[in-house]
Amino acid sequence: MRSSSLLLAILLASGFSAARAASLDVTAAYKMKAVSYSNLHYNTSDKNSHAFIANDARLGIAVRHIPLESRGGEDVTMDLGVILHAVGVSGSTVSVASPFDRVASYYPNADLTPFIENAYLRVHRLWGYAWEATFGRQSYRQGSGLLLDDDGAGLTGASARGELPWWGMKWEGFIFNDRNPLNTSAPNSLDLAGLSADLPGEGVWQLNQLLERDRAQQTVYGCSYPGNPQANGCLVSKAVRSFTSLRYQISYGPVVFEGEAAIQKGYATPTGLSPSGNHITYNGNAEVVRMKWKQTLWKTGEGIARASLARGTGDDPSTPTTDEAFFPSRGHRHNGLERAGFGELFAATAYDAFGGNYSTTTKSGLRNGASGLVVVGAGYTPPAYKGLALDIDFYLYQAERISSGSRTLGTEWDLRVRYPIRDQLNIAASMAYFRAGKFTDPGRSIARKYSFEVSGRF
């Protein structure tokens, strides 16, 4: 009897010990943003103005550090997690109207119905090695996001990361299957695979490789060859694109620097009659640089100056079967139902923007005849006053290639007032003033954006 009682006590103690080793994490986040856009077409006769309230909510549950076994004196543990995500608008005359409909296409739905952003299993120190592997639907960003970012939609597949035995190097790799949100026709299958390697030193060097196999039927704009039946490009059934980038980060005293340069190669298979060489080729490149300098000012606190530069190649019309426009399918460009880029309104990346033509006739969102982007930005945040922070930014946008005339797409001034409380609550109001360049609008019309947001997370 005593032996049975002792055995039961040992089993209960072991169970309680395992339960104590695991932990339950509950996370929640919500952002409400009232937004007003005017003249998104940059055309006084067809302004395309919208006002709405954008909602972005998340709820996550994860059980972490579930003990599995012990190898070499180290515990093998597992995490299980699920995150629900919902985005949507209210108050708009047309729900998720153009150009926001293209943004909405990146998410499983955009009517504030929750979808599964994450549903994963993560194993730490699998087989006793210093690495972790994640299986299932997960959030993922490669490098700075220039090449790949799920943007809150999640990607399904597997990823792994760990340490290498040389010079403190780290590595990570992934393979995902998704869809190309820029193409809605079936079949639509986008395979993503890649590797990254970090080499720390005076700063951190990172080498990234991404391979896309895109089986969505799509148009390669600017393409033409004898016998091609398409008027505005070449229709292809499959595209294979390869991206290689080198990224460098350093924080040296008050200066923070980040730069990434990438090249794109690949080919696409036409659906009908093929050109000479039997395929269409990709050959582009892009660069993004961000710098920040923090400076303590006498009696007032710390000010922050920043500068940015982004450039992505555009298509060369003199090479009709080669597409030089740099354009990864899932690069970072969205934040909920708004764009994330350089500028609050024009919101440019190195390859696309709210450029006045967010229709199916261009991939970049720019007017017909423009391809590729060059962005130069500068900004300053003076010392906070009673917890209030003011951000002032200026951006100049140009096309990398144009059919004729001025390359200037426009200029933008952004003002933003923020009141953050710790890292959990943020209240902000912003204003963006965009003046169209002559290529975007010969009349150089004005577009504005006003917003007020409250966000919190736990």
Side-chain angles (χ1 to χ4, degrees), residues 406-421:
S406 171
R407 295 172 54 198
T408 301
L409 302 172
T411 57
E412 179 174 324
W413 282 98
D414 293 343
L415 298 177
R416 182 179 176 89
V417 179
R418 298 178 286 112
Y419 185 69
I421 301 178

Side-chain angles (χ1 to χ4, degrees), residues 30-31 54-57 85-90 109-115 337:
Y30 176 70
K31 179 172 70 173
N55 299 277
D56 193 328
H85 190 188
V87 295
V89 302
S90 59
N109 59 68
D111 58 0
L112 209 56
T113 300
F115 59 86
L337 291 181

Side-chain angles (χ1 to χ4, degrees), residues 35-317:
V35 190
S36 174
Y37 288 90
S38 68
N39 194 23
L40 275 168
H41 282 169
Y42 315 121
N43 185 342
T44 54
S45 61
D46 180 20
K47 291 187 174 182
N48 190 32
S49 301
H50 295 285
F52 54 85
I53 297 175
N55 299 277
D56 193 328
R58 281 185 173 91
L59 176 64
I61 300 175
V63 183
R64 304 190 188 281
H65 308 301
I66 302 170
L68 299 178
E69 62 178 353
S70 180
R71 281 179 175 262
E74 298 286 348
D75 290 333
V76 180
T77 62
M78 177 178 67
D79 302 341
L80 295 173
V82 176
I83 295 179
L84 300 179
H85 190 188
V87 295
V89 302
S90 59
S92 176
T93 54
V94 181
S95 180
V96 196
S98 176
F100 309 102
D101 55 345
R102 186 188 285 192
V103 180
S105 69
Y106 272 67
Y107 301 94
N109 59 68
D111 58 0
L112 209 56
T113 300
F115 59 86
I116 296 177
E117 178 184 349
N118 283 185
Y120 63 86
L121 178 157
R122 178 174 296 136
V123 184
H124 304 270
R125 301 195 65 86
L126 186 61
W127 299 308
Y129 295 105
W131 66 300
E132 67 176 38
T134 304
F135 306 92
R137 193 157 185 85
Q138 56 196 277
S139 300
Y140 197 88
R141 169 183 283 199
Q142 186 178 34
S144 67
L146 175 66
L147 304 183
L148 177 64
D149 194 322
D150 73 289
D151 279 342
L155 295 167
T156 301
S159 65
R161 65 190 67 194
E163 299 177 2
L164 293 172
W166 314 288
W167 310 301
M169 293 180 65
K170 297 180 180 180
W171 68 273
E172 59 183 79
F174 59 87
I175 180 167
F176 299 120
N177 177 261
D178 201 72
R179 61 187 178 87
N180 191 331
L182 297 174
N183 302 285
T184 57
S185 60
N188 190 337
S189 178
L190 178 66
D191 295 327
L192 302 164
L195 289 168
S196 297
D198 292 1
L199 176 62
E202 191 75 20
V204 177
W205 290 95
Q206 184 180 67
L207 179 65
N208 300 298
Q209 180 66 47
L210 170 66
L211 179 67
E212 296 183 358
R213 187 173 64 172
D214 189 353
R215 284 170 286 187
Q217 184 169 280
Q218 57 198 272
T219 301
V220 178
Y221 295 103
C223 167
S224 64
Y225 55 87
N228 174 43
Q230 303 297 317
N232 62 338
C234 303
L235 194 64
V236 301
S237 59
K238 182 179 75 172
V240 176
R241 292 178 284 263
S242 172
F243 299 87
T244 304
S245 81
L246 185 63
R247 181 188 182 203
Y248 180 67
Q249 294 174 283
I250 188 171
S251 180
Y252 188 78
V255 178
V256 178
F257 173 88
E258 178 186 10
E260 186 169 6
I263 58 174
Q264 173 185 353
K265 300 289 184 181
Y267 64 90
T269 305
T271 57
L273 182 69
S274 297
S276 175
N278 297 322
H279 58 256
I280 298 158
T281 58
Y282 295 99
N283 184 23
N285 61 80
E287 303 82 32
V288 177
V289 174
R290 294 181 178 90
M291 294 180 289
K292 184 165 60 176
W293 177 34
K294 301 178 181 180
Q295 179 65 53
T296 301
L297 303 177
W298 184 64
K299 288 188 177 182
T300 57
E302 185 180 72
I304 302 174
R306 54 189 165 272
S308 55
L309 172 67
R311 172 191 168 272
T313 52
D315 184 42
D316 184 353

